[in-house]
Amino acid sequence: MNERRKFRREGEERRRQDLIDATLGSVAEHGLEGASLRTIALRAGVTAGLIRHYFPGKEDLLQEAYAALMGRMTEQAKAALLMENASPRQRLAAFVTANLNAPIIDARVFSLWATFIGRAGADPSLARAHREGYLGFRNEVEAVVAEVLAAEQRRPDANELRRHAIAINAIIDGLWIEGCLAAEMFSPGELAAIGVKAIEAELGLAPERGKDK
Amino acid sequence: MNERRKFRREGEERRRQDLIDATLGSVAEHGLEGASLRTIALRAGVTAGLIRHYFPGKEDLLQEAYAALMGRMTEQAKAALLMENASPRQRLAAFVTANLNAPIIDARVFSLWATFIGRAGADPSLARAHREGYLGFRNEVEAVVAEVLAAEQRRPDANELRRHAIAINAIIDGLWIEGCLAAEMFSPGELAAIGVKAIEAELGLAPERGKDK
DNA sequence: GGCCTTATTGTGCAAGTGTATAAATAGCTT
DNA sequence: AAGCTATTTATACACTTGCACAATAAGGCC
């Protein structure tokens, strides 16, 4: 009468990925507290015991899940900077726009980010993971800003550059949060437009004229 | 041999406040997952059973704790706006400065904010609490911005005002996060200086000259 | 000072937790 | 087709959790 459940063997990479995705899904829906091994396993279509076969403990699973989340976020964010043959200013605008639209503006991703980063104060390994991600991001910003200003024949010193990068980073982060928490309060593209304008004001760039030449 | 624990009766308001503080402390240190009724009670110097006497359930306690946190944050933030006989521009600068220094820049407060808001996506009552707090804050900003621009003889329309408020709010939020997460990366007052400058650029205000007249 | 209210403690309980480990079977190798 | 191995299931265990409730004593009231 008691039939043992049928199952399929999956490749190791695939299973690990599925478990990590299931973990992120659980955390996004019910928070860290609601993400039990059984919940996660159920979501991954697997029994709880299997998790122990791929991860030494729950802590490790959570940590890998957070790393995966950060990786995806920064990867998507930086992708917008790779445009070839575009002016620095256009690339900066594209970067900002990419960061202030889907899929980066996303309630689920924000929920995950907030949940994990709330523990950064207590968990040093999470704090370090964040610090690295943040500095990498800011350095990217600083590099583009340097190019933009150079194209305008301006020679900012290191300190000025740093302050611009901090401010621009803040603008993007702040608008990102507003967008994630209350997407329906903004019309499509509105946040990106506000962001680009604010950043150009910060850099003292003349307002864009219609395409000439 | 088994002596029952001695205790003191406290006023109702006092006990509720203590329990709420203990809750915030627990959540800040160990996250929502680590904030059990027993942990909270221990921190408040009380037995777990007592919590049920003041709060119908854990959910209610958490909700009241979040409301208390938000209340304190916005209260402190708005206090800076109450300066009498100061120019609008000075009041705006004071507001920004107040928001980008201790006690509002604080790792513990940030941890709490992030932990709770991470659940806003799943918990509608938390989401609403946030929405109200955010809109109240932004309206304050919008009001000051209107005064500042009026003092400069400028007549922005409602939409322009709204966009300025959104951008300024983002700048403050973004710098707040940076400061909370990595306070040691910034010299004292640096974030506030960056914030004031960025906001004045956003509003198109001429850089401040030394006091004349 | 004795009494009465109720704030507070202590204990119990069912459900759920992470971890450990034994038993089974899927799918490759030969 | 049989056998092996390691992926997967299933069960057990000690512990914690939120909640319920009976027992107790603190402190104001007469």
Side-chain angles (χ1 to χ4, degrees):
Chain A
M1 182 144 46
N2 258 340
E3 292 252 350
R4 187 171 253 252
R5 175 174 171 177
K6 298 281 189 277
F7 61 91
R8 266 186 51 207
R9 292 187 167 197
E10 295 283 356
E12 159 156 2
E13 248 354 279
R14 170 68 187 274
R15 264 282 133 85
R16 292 179 67 88
Q17 205 51 58
D18 282 353
L19 286 172
I20 286 179
D21 285 341
T23 303
L24 291 178
S26 283
V27 173
E29 262 188 38
H30 310 103
L32 273 174
E33 35 164 359
S36 73
L37 290 182
R38 286 167 178 83
T39 307
I40 294 170
L42 183 67
R43 181 181 280 256
V46 149
T47 347
L50 185 59
I51 295 183
R52 273 280 285 170
H53 194 257
Y54 288 100
F55 301 92
K58 191 190 182 186
E59 211 56 39
D60 305 79
L61 172 58
L62 285 176
Q63 200 148 318
E64 289 209 30
Y66 179 60
L69 172 72
M70 289 284 284
R72 289 178 210 172
M73 284 180 67
T74 62
E75 175 194 14
Q76 289 174 318
K78 287 182 186 174
L81 279 175
L82 295 182
M83 309 167 42
E84 306 287 340
N85 59 23
S87 75
R89 184 164 171 173
Q90 285 173 323
R91 287 176 55 223
L92 177 57
F95 177 70
V96 175
T97 302
N99 273 288
L100 295 178
N101 278 292
I104 299 193
I105 292 241
D106 178 82
R108 201 187 89 111
V109 171
F110 174 80
S111 168
L112 283 168
W113 173 83
T115 302
F116 278 114
I117 214 162
R119 286 193 24 163
D123 186 332
S125 71
L126 281 185
R128 187 164 33 75
H130 163 77
R131 178 79 48 94
E132 286 165 10
Y134 166 70
L135 277 182
F137 195 86
R138 205 179 83 187
N139 285 338
E140 298 280 346
V141 170
E142 200 167 311
V144 197
V145 168
E147 290 180 44
V148 171
L149 293 183
E152 302 268 330
Q153 331 288 349
R154 286 165 55 187
R155 309 281 306 151
D157 61 24
N159 211 275
E160 192 181 340
L161 216 51
R162 168 186 141 92
R163 302 222 305 269
H164 281 317
I166 293 173
I168 290 173
N169 200 64
I171 292 170
I172 295 176
D173 284 356
L175 290 175
W176 177 70
I177 291 177
E178 297 190 52
C180 290
L181 277 175
E184 75 287 356
M185 288 181 62
F186 308 98
S187 57
E190 183 180 17
L191 282 175
I194 293 176
V196 170
K197 255 188 161 177
I199 286 169
E200 293 183 340
E202 161 72 20
L203 293 179
L205 302 180
E208 204 173 356
R209 282 168 290 175
K211 295 182 186 177
D212 41 9
K213 167 74 201 264
Chain B
M1 180 139 50
N2 258 342
E3 291 254 350
R4 187 170 251 251
R5 176 175 170 177
K6 297 281 188 278
F7 60 92
R8 268 187 47 207
R9 291 187 168 198
E10 295 283 357
E12 160 155 4
E13 249 354 278
R14 170 68 187 274
R15 264 284 133 84
R16 293 180 67 89
Q17 204 52 58
D18 283 353
L19 286 173
I20 286 179
D21 286 340
T23 303
L24 291 177
S26 283
V27 173
E29 262 187 38
H30 311 101
L32 272 176
E33 34 164 0
S36 71
L37 290 182
R38 287 167 176 82
T39 307
I40 294 170
L42 183 67
R43 183 182 278 256
V46 149
T47 340
L50 185 59
I51 295 183
R52 271 280 283 166
H53 194 256
Y54 288 100
F55 301 91
K58 192 191 182 185
E59 212 58 39
D60 306 79
L61 173 57
L62 285 176
Q63 199 150 318
E64 289 209 30
Y66 180 60
L69 172 72
M70 290 283 284
R72 288 177 210 171
M73 283 179 69
T74 62
E75 175 194 14
Q76 289 175 320
K78 287 181 185 174
L81 280 175
L82 295 181
M83 307 166 44
E84 306 288 340
N85 59 24
S87 74
R89 184 163 170 174
Q90 285 173 323
R91 288 175 55 223
L92 177 57
F95 177 69
V96 175
T97 303
N99 274 289
L100 295 178
N101 279 293
I104 300 192
I105 292 238
D106 178 83
R108 202 188 86 111
V109 171
F110 174 79
S111 168
L112 283 168
W113 173 84
T115 302
F116 278 113
I117 215 161
R119 285 193 24 163
D123 187 333
S125 69
L126 281 184
R128 187 163 34 78
H130 163 77
R131 177 78 48 92
E132 286 164 10
Y134 165 71
L135 278 183
F137 195 86
R138 206 179 82 187
N139 284 338
E140 298 280 345
V141 170
E142 201 168 310
V144 197
V145 168
E147 291 181 42
V148 171
L149 293 184
E152 302 268 331
Q153 332 288 349
R154 285 164 56 187
R155 309 281 306 152
D157 61 26
N159 211 275
E160 191 180 340
L161 216 50
R162 169 186 139 93
R163 301 222 305 268
H164 281 317
I166 293 173
I168 290 172
N169 200 65
I171 293 170
I172 295 176
D173 284 356
L175 289 175
W176 176 71
I177 291 177
E178 298 191 51
C180 290
L181 278 174
E184 75 288 356
M185 287 180 63
F186 307 98
S187 57
E190 183 179 19
L191 282 176
I194 294 175
V196 170
K197 256 189 163 176
I199 287 169
E200 293 183 339
E202 160 71 19
L203 294 179
L205 302 180
E208 205 173 358
R209 282 169 289 174
K211 296 183 187 177
D212 41 10
K213 162 80 200 254

